[in-house]
Amino acid sequence: MRAVIQRVNKASVSIVNDDGTSYLKAEIGQGYLVLLGCANDDTQQDIDWLSRKITGLRVFDDEQGVMNKSIMDVGGDIIVVSQFTLWASYKKGNRPSYLRAGSHDITVPLYEAFVKKLSEDLGKPVGTGEFGAYMKVALENDGPVTICMDSKNPE
């Protein structure tokens, strides 16, 4: 699993309908916007590792202005948006290949299991986009602070 975690002051995700209209699916204040890409070989172990790392990540300021607090410490919220393009291969040519991205039948259950685990670890519901939908994501980056994680490369 690959994730891009962005510390935000606020974020939202809207789903765009076929007719061009859209509706707000999720909205948060302080917290994380997490873009998540799943691969066919991801497992529950990847879900557990990534959820633990995200909820334990200390990138919020303490009283001295040092990034020393986790999302748990500040009571922040999270939105998770599926993002198969995190698996883009750009080695050949200029058109990315997405062959390493997981297939729909495998990644939907992985995405849903990750959201469930993250909600459990966070202790409250996590907002989501809609898997496979055309979405508009809005955010106010805080910092900016952006962390990339790959469960297959934990160092």
Side-chain angles (χ1 to χ4, degrees):
M1 290 189 151
R2 288 185 175 166
V4 174
I5 300 105
Q6 296 180 297
R7 187 179 75 178
V8 298
N9 290 320
K10 60 184 176 179
S12 65
V13 60
S14 296
I15 309 303
V16 179
N17 298 315
D18 291 339
D19 64 3
T21 62
S22 63
Y23 65 93
L24 183 66
K25 178 79 165 60
E27 183 175 38
I28 62 169
Q30 180 186 39
Y32 294 144
L33 170 65
V34 177
L35 306 175
L36 181 73
C38 301
N40 285 331
D41 62 345
D42 287 334
T43 66
Q44 186 64 45
Q45 189 174 13
D46 296 288
I47 291 168
D48 294 343
W49 180 87
L50 190 57
S51 180
R52 185 176 66 252
K53 291 301 279 188
I54 289 172
T55 55
L57 189 63
R58 296 183 342 191
V59 295
F60 292 94
D61 289 349
D62 64 15
E63 294 72 24
Q64 287 74 42
V66 177
M67 287 196 291
N68 201 27
K69 289 188 173 187
S70 72
I71 195 156
M72 306 290 286
D73 297 328
V74 300
D77 294 309
I78 299 176
I79 292 178
V80 180
V81 175
S82 61
Q83 183 93 35
F84 77 94
T85 59
L86 291 177
W87 285 100
S89 174
Y90 45 84
K91 302 288 184 201
K92 290 181 167 182
N94 292 319
R95 183 170 184 220
S97 166
Y98 302 106
L99 294 175
R100 294 184 57 207
S103 62
H104 189 80
D105 59 321
I106 292 174
T107 57
V108 170
L110 285 168
Y111 172 77
E112 291 171 351
F114 175 76
V115 168
K116 182 177 184 225
K117 175 66 173 158
L118 191 59
S119 292
E120 290 169 1
D121 289 350
L122 187 62
K124 58 183 165 180
V126 168
T128 65
E130 185 176 305
F131 195 94
Y134 185 81
M135 296 174 271
K136 294 202 178 200
V137 179
L139 70 140
E140 182 179 292
N141 225 306
D142 181 18
V145 174
T146 303
I147 308 289
C148 299
M149 293 184 182
D150 188 330
S151 63
K152 302 295 191 227
N153 188 15
E155 278 100 51

